[in-house]
Amino acid sequence: MRTYRELFTVPEFKPLFLASAGHVAGQTMSGLALATLVHAATGSPLLTSLAMFGPSLAQVLGATLLLSAADRLPPRAAMTGLAVLFAAGTALQALPGMPVWGNFAVLLCLGLAGSLGGGVRYGLVNEVLPKDGYVLGRSLLNMCAGLMQITGFALGGVLVVALSARGTLLVAAGLYLVSALIARFGLSPRPARTPGRASVSQTWRTNALLWSSRSRRHLYLALWVPNGLIAGAESLFVSYAPSHAGLLFAAGAGGMLLGDILIGRFAPPALRRRLGLPLLLLLAGPYLLFVLHPPHPLTLALAALAAVGFAASLVQQERLMAHTPPELSGQALGLHSSGMLTMQGVAATVAGTLAQLTSPAAAITMMAVLSLTVTALLAPGLRPTVEDGVSPRPRASV
């Protein structure tokens, strides 16, 4: 597969695409609305960042307890059920008088259940599309996520003013319901990828198997830590610039969209395999300047430029699939998604703490320094190998 248009010739890709779009739009709008509610109620940068990224912290619990279900549940039923659950939880958060602790309790439950979402969706991408279409399909889904984030943050900002934060949460709940309907009536009934019952012990065994490979360990760490730290920096946008946070998030989503187009559509495989490390460096570099409090237009440009580096995940995911047996693809991708979101939640906590001790601008720059440091430490283990399709260099004759 060479073009995005070819993806839609696969019957199940269109409903998968639309269901994913509705889910991302709902998450974006609900996250912004809830962060606005918490910021107004508490004024705390830490709690505000956790309101947007806190559900990610529950991903680590889901990854250790529930993740085997990603390959052991029928994908259509799993996607539909998760969307309905998110709709109900988001509507519950919109209830008048809901205390801050109650909102965080709902976030914890949604984050725990959401740990299955990445494995179910992305495992279905790997199953529906031919092998040479995976990166292109993930690229398009990432682009869709970027567009939905731009739209969600922009529209969410308008709706928060026009309808209030609680009204925006109800709109997001409606989007989740639309996503559930698309998944239920658009996807074909497929059997589970792996037979047997999901269990905690099976989750542990498969996670241990996935982690046992040195190459997969390095890929997982590259997928989780550097971009998680930058997501933590982004969680401070509301505290850094309360009146322009929506534009900052939209600029970041736009940069992510551009990166996915360049890497997923135009970068040839041989070049793509060698861009993982440079993209991780680009992801953090521009945030080093935030400590200088640049003018707002430059801040938007820096956020957009840095977000191009999120395309490194496409490179690392393609390599992860090359190093993973097909029957474990759902849990492998679910472990990637859960670990990434968990790291985002941890990083949001660290960033919020640093911001309270210093300032949002200083904390953003410190998170960028941490991301660059981790990338430098991981660099030796991220070189492409023969298993990735890279031919070994011939030895020079003596």
Side-chain angles (χ1 to χ4, degrees):
M1 286 189 163
R2 300 293 300 275
T3 66
Y4 292 125
R5 180 176 295 179
E6 289 181 77
L7 294 171
F8 291 99
T9 64
V10 179
E12 285 191 89
F13 185 78
K14 185 176 181 179
L16 176 60
F17 175 85
L18 293 174
S20 299
H23 192 89
V24 172
Q27 275 190 315
T28 303
M29 294 175 61
S30 62
L32 180 60
L34 190 61
T36 303
L37 272 179
V38 172
H39 184 71
T42 67
S44 167
L46 174 59
L47 291 178
T48 301
S49 63
L50 285 177
M52 185 165 286
F53 292 97
S56 305
L57 288 171
Q59 295 281 335
V60 66
L61 187 58
T64 57
L65 299 178
L66 305 175
L67 200 52
S68 62
D71 288 315
R72 290 170 173 79
L73 290 175
R76 185 178 71 172
M79 285 190 64
T80 303
L82 286 171
V84 170
L85 179 63
F86 270 78
T90 304
L92 183 61
Q93 290 173 324
L95 291 177
M98 173 69 76
V100 172
W101 67 263
N103 282 322
F104 278 103
V106 174
L107 279 181
L108 176 64
C109 295
L110 294 181
L112 182 61
S115 63
L116 296 178
V120 172
R121 282 193 300 274
Y122 303 141
L124 190 56
V125 173
N126 192 57
E127 189 174 358
V128 166
L129 296 177
K131 185 177 180 180
D132 64 345
Y134 176 78
V135 170
L136 193 66
R138 285 292 285 118
S139 169
L140 186 59
L141 286 177
N142 286 353
M143 289 167 54
C144 172
L147 286 172
M148 289 300 101
Q149 286 175 353
I150 293 171
T151 304
F153 283 127
L155 182 59
V158 172
L159 290 177
V160 165
V161 174
L163 299 179
S164 79
R166 297 187 189 280
T168 305
L169 285 170
L170 290 176
V171 173
L175 288 173
Y176 284 128
L177 285 178
V178 171
S179 177
L181 291 172
I182 293 172
R184 174 61 182 82
F185 296 105
L187 295 174
S188 300
R190 286 173 170 263
R193 280 180 287 272
T194 301
R197 295 178 59 185
S199 66
V200 174
S201 60
Q202 185 60 54
T203 298
W204 290 351
R205 283 195 296 270
T206 305
N207 283 347
L209 176 62
L210 292 169
W211 192 252
S212 65
S213 163
R214 181 179 181 274
S215 58
R216 285 196 294 263
R217 284 199 301 273
H218 280 90
L219 289 170
Y220 274 127
L221 290 173
L223 284 163
W224 294 343
V225 184
N227 65 357
L229 291 167
I230 296 305
E234 291 180 339
S235 74
L236 296 174
F237 282 170
V238 174
S239 301
Y240 177 80
S243 59
H244 300 293
L247 288 176
L248 278 170
F249 282 119
M256 188 185 303
L257 172 64
L258 177 61
D260 286 326
I261 293 173
L262 294 176
I263 300 303
R265 175 64 180 87
F266 295 107
L271 173 62
R272 188 167 62 227
R273 283 189 288 264
R274 301 185 186 279
L275 288 178
L277 187 60
L279 287 168
L280 287 178
L281 296 174
L282 175 63
L283 179 63
Y287 286 111
L288 296 176
L289 299 177
F290 269 57
V291 71
L292 302 177
H293 295 277
H296 183 60
L298 180 56
T299 301
L300 292 175
L302 291 172
L305 178 62
V308 173
F310 278 115
S313 67
L314 286 177
V315 180
Q316 312 301 359
Q317 284 180 63
E318 182 180 30
R319 294 185 62 194
L320 180 63
M321 288 296 93
H323 289 255
T324 303
E327 66 272 14
L328 299 181
S329 62
Q331 186 158 343
L333 291 168
L335 186 60
H336 145 56
S337 179
S338 296
M340 178 186 67
L341 293 174
T342 297
M343 188 60 207
Q344 288 177 3
V346 171
T349 305
V350 172
T353 302
L354 290 174
Q356 295 210 156
L357 295 174
T358 57
S359 70
I364 288 172
T365 296
M366 284 187 276
M367 297 300 284
V369 171
L370 286 173
S371 181
L372 290 170
T373 301
V374 173
T375 297
L377 293 173
L378 291 174
L382 295 178
R383 296 189 182 96
T385 64
V386 175
E387 200 169 358
D388 297 307
V390 177
S391 301
R393 295 181 179 179
R395 293 185 180 182
S397 58
V398 179

